[in-house]
Amino acid sequence: MGALYNIFADSRASFFLFGLVLLFASAMSTLAHAKTHHHKFVVQATPVKRLCKTHNSITVNGQYPGPTLEVNNGDTLVVKVTNKARYNVTIHWHGIRQMRTAWADGPEFVTQCPIRPGGSYTYRFTIQGQEGTLWWHAHSSWLRATVYGALIIRPKEGDSYPFPKPKRETPILLGEWWDTNPIDVVREATRTGAAPNVSDAYTINGQPGDLYNCSSKGTYTVPIDSGETNLLRVINAALNQPLFFKVANHKLRVVGADASYTKPFTTSVLMLGPGQTTDVLINGDQPSGRYYIAARAYASAPNAPFDNTTTTAILEYKSAPCAAKNCAASKPVMTSLPAFNDTATVTAFSNSFRSPNKVEVPTEVDENLFFTIGLGLNKCPPHFRARRCQGPNGTRFAASMNNVSFVLPSNISILQAYQQGIPGVFTADFPANPPLKFDYTGNVSRSLWQPVPGTKGYKLKYGSRVQVVLQGTSIFTPENHPIHLHGYDFYIIAEGFGNFNPKTDTAKFNLVDPPLRNTASVPVNGWAVIRFVADNPGAWLLHCHLDVHINWGLAMVFLVDNGVGELQTIEHPPADLPLC
């Protein structure tokens, strides 16, 4: 019997060793395929001519938009950023989880001090478990008007897309152009307290398109051929405007968003809030020719001024039956875009997103948070002259979450202060609920219009399961707000209009296959509910991705504690982390 036991024990040990060898071999195989990509970004002023005028625009490596970075899931990026511009700058890798590498996240005065003119900083991070389309952009003042580019994450080597591989892939960056220095635009708005001037054009891959003056020659062309499929990686890099996107006479099959795959669905129109990405397959199934690709504003705020122009590119069949010289003369087929205020189309599109399979949504929550989001108006301070209070009725515009208007520190980053226990930089008392309950989407009393300035964070224990109700308000004006969370993806489990009602609206929660996103478009005069697990230590900004709103204070910070052991602890700050 003892001998039999020994044989059994020996075989079990051998099986265990064999399992370890397999696991090690698998890990080595993954590591062997993973690559480290080194890039150099030089931020500098570059002459850029658009709309008949040349401006000294801030660019990366002299390119507008900036360079496209292409990596595989599991790869590491090392990007040295050298600042040769006259402004402070940081780079944010929008949507990258930054597991334990919060020092590389990029928002100015949140995870780092800015890179001063003449300085440099090297961002180092590994992409873990993300595939699809993300992007990078400046996260300092309004520099991201021209400092941005695509970040494409392909499957690991040997893996494939969960859809037939397309013949081509084309990044489509939707941007916003001012016919002046955008930094001057935001500085003037900050000085006067009024809303900043709206943009003069939208762009597709840096070009306004042939509906604008002096723009026809540069109009961007997307190639396709009869019978082939092109994967369009659409990114809304505009500063302040959600955008509709269409291709004349062609259907779009949505297969991904924010670097997560989606259950495929077909649509004729996309709507992307600033910060959002959408991957779509387009088939060359129309008569050979030229077709307009077009984008214009979704303007949800009643009576608020906006840029009402339309940017275009051209989908061109390579087999189009015309000589090259005549092709340019033939007018592309035009498309009709939704009305500027077509919220019904936006809602139908938003409600179409699902994860491809059942997902592990936290079913129990440890932190049940309720954040009101929206605009406000500050009374004119007694020592300010009238020209500094040019908002409505002699006020200054503000924005807030739970009536706190976020103020960035100016002499150290929040993450440094949090990690090093430096007092006086922020407080950890951001309210879990609005200080006052009211009819959020009704006629709001003017006594509630003035938020309180503060640099406030909310502490989360490592591993806590978090639910946040993002409740839009009609203070000053209701609006669709693209809310972005740094360091995390989250499940959008429900959205709706009016005031969120926990007694009835929980019945709408999708805990089976909700979409995984990093930026949620909170409906105009409505709400969205998100859930995530706080498994990434650091200081993580939650903010509206309309840059005018973050300037006014529509932001807060989650302070996530370290867990247990090295793998649940933030890495040490890099030696070259910029000093304030």
Side-chain angles (χ1 to χ4, degrees), residues 368-532:
N368 196 354
L369 308 174
F370 189 102
F371 293 175
T372 54
I373 56 176
L375 303 189
L377 296 172
N378 280 335
K379 291 173 186 168
C380 194
H383 58 286
F384 274 28
R385 294 186 177 178
R387 66 170 179 263
R388 296 202 60 193
C389 298
Q390 292 183 29
N393 302 316
T395 60
R396 291 177 61 84
F397 270 110
S400 67
M401 288 190 176
N402 279 355
N403 209 46
V404 178
S405 191
F406 188 72
V407 179
L408 285 169
S410 58
N411 54 6
I412 193 171
S413 76
I414 292 172
L415 182 59
Q416 285 170 287
Y418 178 49
Q419 288 294 306
Q420 297 167 22
I422 298 169
V425 178
F426 66 87
T427 56
D429 58 348
F430 185 86
N433 293 283
L436 194 68
K437 287 185 177 179
F438 56 96
D439 181 3
Y440 308 115
T441 54
N443 288 324
V444 183
S445 162
R446 292 218 164 212
S447 63
L448 301 173
W449 285 31
Q450 180 148 333
V452 180
T455 309
K456 294 178 182 287
Y458 189 90
K459 288 194 79 170
L460 294 172
K461 285 183 180 172
Y462 185 93
S464 58
R465 298 159 297 182
V466 184
Q467 173 175 295
V468 186
V469 177
L470 298 165
Q471 173 68 62
T473 64
S474 58
I475 295 175
F476 187 70
T477 182
E479 191 165 359
N480 181 295
H481 293 276
I483 301 296
H484 172 48
L485 175 59
H486 289 229
Y488 288 88
D489 289 327
F490 49 75
Y491 291 109
I492 303 176
I493 61 171
E495 55 182 51
F497 292 99
N499 299 333
F500 176 76
N501 184 335
K503 290 178 181 172
T504 56
D505 288 331
T506 48
K508 301 172 186 170
F509 285 5
N510 175 5
L511 301 178
V512 178
D513 60 353
L516 189 64
R517 303 297 298 256
N518 63 53
T519 306
S521 281
V522 179
V524 55
N525 247 340
W527 50 268
V529 183
I530 66 172
R531 284 190 187 178
F532 63 95

Side-chain angles (χ1 to χ4, degrees), residues 240-255:
N240 294 318
Q241 194 60 60
L243 293 166
F244 287 117
F245 176 89
K246 275 188 86 169
V247 182
N249 292 14
H250 288 73
K251 294 286 187 185
L252 305 170
R253 187 144 180 86
V254 177
V255 292

Side-chain angles (χ1 to χ4, degrees), residues 169-312:
E169 298 185 11
T170 308
I172 302 282
L173 291 119
L174 308 177
E176 206 167 358
W177 179 263
W178 276 260
D179 202 12
T180 185
N181 181 350
I183 302 295
D184 291 343
V185 175
V186 68
R187 284 180 173 173
E188 174 69 3
T190 303
R191 191 182 63 78
T192 64
N197 291 341
V198 299
S199 55
D200 297 287
Y202 301 112
T203 57
I204 295 177
N205 290 350
Q207 295 292 342
D210 56 13
L211 302 185
Y212 296 91
N213 291 336
C214 309
S215 301
S216 293
K217 285 183 180 174
T219 301
Y220 191 81
T221 300
V222 177
I224 198 165
D225 213 349
S226 295
E228 74 178 27
T229 303
N230 194 336
L231 172 61
L232 305 183
R233 300 176 176 273
V234 188
I235 300 164
N236 186 353
L239 237 67
N240 294 318
Q241 194 60 60
L243 293 166
F244 287 117
F245 176 89
K246 275 188 86 169
V247 182
N249 292 14
H250 288 73
K251 294 286 187 185
L252 305 170
R253 187 144 180 86
V254 177
V255 292
D258 292 0
S260 292
Y261 294 118
T262 63
K263 194 169 284 180
F265 67 94
T266 301
T267 179
S268 62
V269 63
L270 312 179
M271 196 291 285
L272 298 91
Q276 293 185 320
T277 73
T278 308
D279 291 347
V280 298
L281 297 172
I282 184 169
N283 293 322
D285 56 6
Q286 294 300 305
S288 191
R290 304 167 82 230
Y291 297 84
Y292 269 128
I293 298 168
R296 77 172 185 186
Y298 165 49
S300 60
N303 306 318
F306 67 96
D307 177 353
N308 64 1
T309 61
T310 302
T311 180
T312 55

Side-chain angles (χ1 to χ4, degrees), residues 166 249 308 318 345 439 519 542 546 558 561:
N249 292 14
N308 64 1
K318 291 187 300 165
T345 290
D439 181 3
T519 306
L542 177 77
L546 306 178
F558 281 118
D561 290 334

